[in-house]
Amino acid sequence: MRNKEHLDEPVDEGTAVSIYAAGALCWRTKKKKLEVLLIHRQRYDDWSWPKGKLDKGETLPECAVREVSEEVGLPITLGIPLSSIRYAVKSGCKEVHYWAAAAGDMPVLPDGKEVNEVLWCSPSKARELLSNPSDLEPLEALVSAYDRSRLSTWPLLIIRHAKAKPRSAWTRAEGERPLAATGMRQALYLQRLLMAWHPNRIYTSGWMRCISTISPYAQHTKAKVKVVQRLTEADHNRHPAKVTAVVEKLLTRSSATGLCTHRPVLPTVLKALATHMPAEMRKSLPIQDPHLSPGEVLIAHVSLDEPGTIVALEQHKPYDD
């Protein structure tokens, strides 16, 4: 069956992307066997993954969560990132980003507008049904992660505080330096972005610019906020080993958690994370100063099967005026 959304022409690596989209491969285990969720779209008469185009101002993770909710009625939290795919469409080149999303036994309800049928099936059955050959790429990535016990994870989100007023323009205590106007917009952007992983607890420096960065999300979700003075610049300068101890303690958790701190503290945080991942993955860490831009987020996906082991990384840029 030919998928009418796709054209037959191959897509060059250098082809500019005209459409960005995002989605998720929802998965569960049934009788100790992996199953994935396929959707059938009547418009194209095809079998594919839940996905859709970005709305204006939307981030890729937000889009993935929204599309799954709209098309199959599942509220999801994103897991590890999977392969992104590109293919030719009438307007040029479409790039789709995918994540894994554990779905358990939640009921699945097609929206009836775009999706008229849904199916939980084995990966082998999915390979037979998928209409677009490129949709096999994220499936193989998911199956590989499952086979290596790398699919069940929880996210540790490392957040650099949003853009603050310049030090040179601030004459009061450093811990009271507030966010700039851009930083306040970045904090609102983070409120939406972080919803894709739902951190239920955030550990933060007690300085104003960190508190203000995570406040919109915490107020919106009622996430618990724990102020940790060790994460301030001043305490880190005196006792960097105590920051390492904070990170090590967080890695013993098993539910989505955030950590918000400052640029000078990030090298110590990243060094601690590096000891919990394969050597090849360490090359993906942002080790060059400034490590993360103001308001940027690094997500370390930590294995539930091998506690304390980081199995995937992803970064998300901040809102930019």
Side-chain angles (χ1 to χ4, degrees):
M1 173 171 46
R2 179 166 176 246
N3 185 335
K4 301 181 182 111
E5 183 189 20
H6 301 73
L7 304 180
D8 292 330
E9 297 83 6
V11 178
D12 249 354
E13 280 297 321
T15 303
V17 176
S18 57
I19 299 173
Y20 284 96
L25 274 64
C26 299
W27 66 274
R28 69 182 186 185
T29 53
K30 200 81 167 177
K31 297 181 179 178
K32 299 185 178 180
K33 298 289 186 180
L34 178 65
E35 293 186 342
V36 292
L37 182 68
L38 294 183
I39 63 169
H40 184 268
R41 302 180 298 177
Q42 58 267 48
R43 177 183 177 186
Y44 300 111
D45 188 22
D46 71 352
W47 287 98
S48 64
W49 309 116
K51 68 176 185 300
K53 301 175 188 176
L54 268 68
D55 285 345
K56 186 176 180 180
E58 191 175 42
T59 64
L60 289 163
E62 286 178 87
C63 177
V65 172
R66 176 182 57 76
E67 286 291 338
V68 173
S69 175
E70 290 178 356
E71 292 189 344
V72 298
L74 286 180
I76 61 166
T77 297
L78 298 184
I80 61 171
L82 302 171
S83 306
S84 60
I85 63 173
R86 282 186 173 196
Y87 52 84
V89 291
K90 290 180 180 178
S91 60
C93 174
K94 185 172 183 177
E95 183 172 285
V96 188
H97 292 252
Y98 285 108
W99 282 262
D105 288 321
M106 291 184 286
V108 181
L109 303 171
D111 67 357
K113 298 175 183 177
E114 295 185 50
V115 178
N116 66 327
E117 190 176 352
V118 295
L119 176 69
W120 281 108
C121 64
S122 67
S124 58
K125 183 65 175 178
R127 292 185 186 101
E128 294 175 10
L129 289 175
L130 284 167
S131 304
N132 176 16
S134 60
D135 276 344
L136 292 170
E137 294 179 38
L139 174 62
E140 298 311 332
L142 183 137
V143 171
S144 175
Y146 177 77
D147 289 342
R148 294 179 294 124
S149 298
R150 296 289 193 263
L151 192 53
S152 295
T153 60
W154 63 272
L156 174 59
L157 297 90
I158 308 301
I159 307 159
R160 179 180 170 185
H161 69 71
K163 186 175 179 60
K165 288 191 174 181
R167 293 178 195 266
S168 59
W170 187 252
T171 57
R172 293 164 59 183
E174 181 62 17
E176 297 176 7
R177 185 155 59 95
L179 296 181
T182 295
M184 289 187 279
R185 288 189 285 273
Q186 288 174 336
L188 291 173
Y189 175 90
L190 277 169
Q191 173 195 325
R192 302 185 351 248
L193 178 65
L194 298 184
M195 290 293 294
W197 297 277
H198 293 288
N200 54 28
R201 185 179 290 267
I202 299 180
Y203 294 74
T204 180
S205 157
W207 286 7
M208 180 62 68
R209 50 193 181 273
C210 283
I211 296 290
S212 299
T213 295
I214 56 93
S215 284
Y217 173 79
Q219 291 171 6
H220 182 73
T221 62
K222 308 303 180 186
K224 294 181 180 179
V225 175
K226 183 174 177 60
V227 173
V228 182
Q229 288 305 128
R230 296 176 182 182
L231 296 175
T232 65
E233 289 185 35
D235 276 42
H236 172 260
N237 287 340
R238 289 191 293 267
H239 304 292
K242 291 186 176 181
V243 171
T244 301
V246 170
V247 177
E248 293 292 337
K249 183 177 180 181
L250 293 188
L251 285 166
T252 65
R253 290 177 56 82
S254 58
S255 61
T257 304
L259 181 154
C260 185
T261 190
H262 310 261
R263 180 188 59 79
V265 184
L266 287 173
T268 301
V269 172
L270 297 174
K271 185 176 179 180
L273 293 178
T275 64
H276 289 266
M277 65 182 66
E280 191 64 27
M281 190 180 297
R282 291 173 201 159
K283 298 176 183 177
S284 301
L285 285 170
I287 59 173
Q288 297 297 321
D289 190 36
H291 313 292
L292 298 174
S293 301
E296 189 170 4
V297 183
L298 170 73
I299 299 116
H301 295 272
V302 188
S303 173
L304 286 168
D305 295 314
E306 299 177 28
T309 300
I310 297 169
V311 298
L313 293 172
E314 58 181 303
Q315 281 178 243
H316 292 278
K317 296 292 184 183
Y319 171 83
D320 188 359
D321 284 335

